[in-house]
Amino acid sequence: MKRVWKTLFSSMLIVGVVCLLTACGPKFDASGYVKAALDADIHGESAEYAKLLEITEEEAQQEYEEVLDSMVSEMSDLGLSDELNDKYRTLFADLLKKTDYTVLEATENDDGSFTVPVEIKPITNVFSGLMDELEADMTEYANSLVDSGDIPNDDEITEYAGQLVYDMLAARLDAIEYGEAQTVEVTVALDEDNAYGVAEDDIEALLTTMIDLGDLA
């Protein structure tokens, strides 16, 4: 169970993000583009992103909803109830909205690409020590089952563990902590479709800096 949660939370932060960080147009503001994409994709603030891509705000918001859906789909593989999956969806949205980043001025490179620095204050407390706490609580839970002689089925145990992790994360979000600012540089370049985009490795670097995965990394 500990390994399953570690794998899940190590991967969920980049699910659904890569495909949204693309844009095109004759006059390109790399910093504005990165900020608009991050605001839309992570904070759910879609107005500027919609303007840049010349789509409706509803369409841009739908892309944000798809990011959350993708994150929750990772949870569905664990066999959690629909009710608990819905709670996680809200929790993921709250977590992403608490990320703190500032997009700085871009530099155009000789090859026509852009280097965009992003200053990030990482969330440090949400995942720190989570697996140790989960393991300790699950051991206590298992011991209580042995003592009572009331052994639940696998689905009930999974739901219990899922609720336990949810409660831990929710409590940490209520007392959010940030670390010292760090700067991550991303490259924005034209792809084979002549649309600007950010490399997947750069996106992963941004997201994993925004939220310190602690012992999940």
Side-chain angles (χ1 to χ4, degrees), residues 2 33 40 43-44 49 70-71 89 96 110 137 146 185 189-190 202-203:
K2 179 177 179 180
Y33 157 64
H43 288 173
Y49 183 71
S70 296
M71 295 172 73
R89 191 179 194 280
L96 293 177
D110 292 340
D137 286 356
V146 172
E185 291 186 343
L190 289 170
D202 286 352
I203 297 169

Side-chain angles (χ1 to χ4, degrees), residues 190-195:
L190 289 170
D191 61 20
E192 59 186 14
D193 296 321
N194 203 39

Side-chain angles (χ1 to χ4, degrees), residues 131-175:
M131 290 297 98
D132 289 339
E133 185 177 348
L134 174 61
E135 186 172 35
D137 286 356
M138 287 302 293
T139 298
E140 182 179 348
Y141 173 61
N143 290 336
S144 70
L145 294 177
V146 172
D147 292 341
S148 68
D150 182 17
I151 307 300
N153 60 41
D154 289 347
D155 288 342
E156 292 170 328
I157 293 174
T158 297
E159 186 77 0
Y160 179 87
Q163 182 64 53
L164 190 61
V165 172
Y166 171 84
D167 291 340
M168 292 176 186
L169 293 175
R172 290 157 188 241
L173 276 181
D174 286 340

Side-chain angles (χ1 to χ4, degrees), residues 60-73:
Q61 185 65 27
Q62 180 60 36
E63 291 186 350
Y64 168 69
E65 298 296 333
E66 289 171 0
V67 169
L68 295 178
D69 289 343
S70 296
M71 295 172 73
V72 173
S73 72

Side-chain angles (χ1 to χ4, degrees), residues 10-191:
S10 295
S11 64
M12 74 177 190
L13 296 176
I14 61 171
V15 175
V17 174
V18 177
C19 64
L20 300 185
L21 290 179
T22 57
C24 57
K27 294 182 179 180
F28 186 65
D29 173 7
S31 292
Y33 157 64
V34 170
K35 182 180 187 306
L38 291 176
D39 287 350
D41 208 25
I42 296 177
H43 288 173
E45 300 167 359
S46 304
E48 189 61 28
Y49 183 71
K51 181 179 177 181
L52 282 175
L53 268 65
E54 298 182 348
I55 60 177
T56 67
E57 286 191 42
E58 290 76 13
E59 289 172 322
Q61 185 65 27
Q62 180 60 36
E63 291 186 350
Y64 168 69
E65 298 296 333
E66 289 171 0
V67 169
L68 295 178
D69 289 343
S70 296
M71 295 172 73
V72 173
S73 72
E74 296 287 310
M75 306 294 299
S76 65
D77 292 340
L78 296 175
L80 302 179
S81 66
D82 290 343
E83 180 182 1
L84 190 51
N85 278 329
D86 288 343
K87 291 169 67 174
Y88 268 107
R89 191 179 194 280
T90 299
L91 184 142
F92 292 155
D94 291 342
L95 173 62
L96 293 177
K97 286 178 181 178
K98 288 180 182 291
T99 55
D100 187 323
Y101 55 84
T102 302
V103 180
L104 305 178
E105 184 175 355
T107 300
E108 186 171 5
N109 303 314
D110 292 340
D111 62 359
S113 66
F114 297 85
T115 298
V116 182
V118 182
E119 186 179 85
I120 297 168
K121 293 181 180 178
I123 294 173
T124 58
N125 67 313
V126 173
F127 295 103
S128 177
L130 182 71
M131 290 297 98
D132 289 339
E133 185 177 348
L134 174 61
E135 186 172 35
D137 286 356
M138 287 302 293
T139 298
E140 182 179 348
Y141 173 61
N143 290 336
S144 70
L145 294 177
V146 172
D147 292 341
S148 68
D150 182 17
I151 307 300
N153 60 41
D154 289 347
D155 288 342
E156 292 170 328
I157 293 174
T158 297
E159 186 77 0
Y160 179 87
Q163 182 64 53
L164 190 61
V165 172
Y166 171 84
D167 291 340
M168 292 176 186
L169 293 175
R172 290 157 188 241
L173 276 181
D174 286 340
I176 200 75
E177 297 175 6
Y178 296 91
E180 294 184 3
Q182 304 177 37
T183 299
V184 176
E185 291 186 343
V186 301
T187 300
V188 182
L190 289 170
D191 61 20

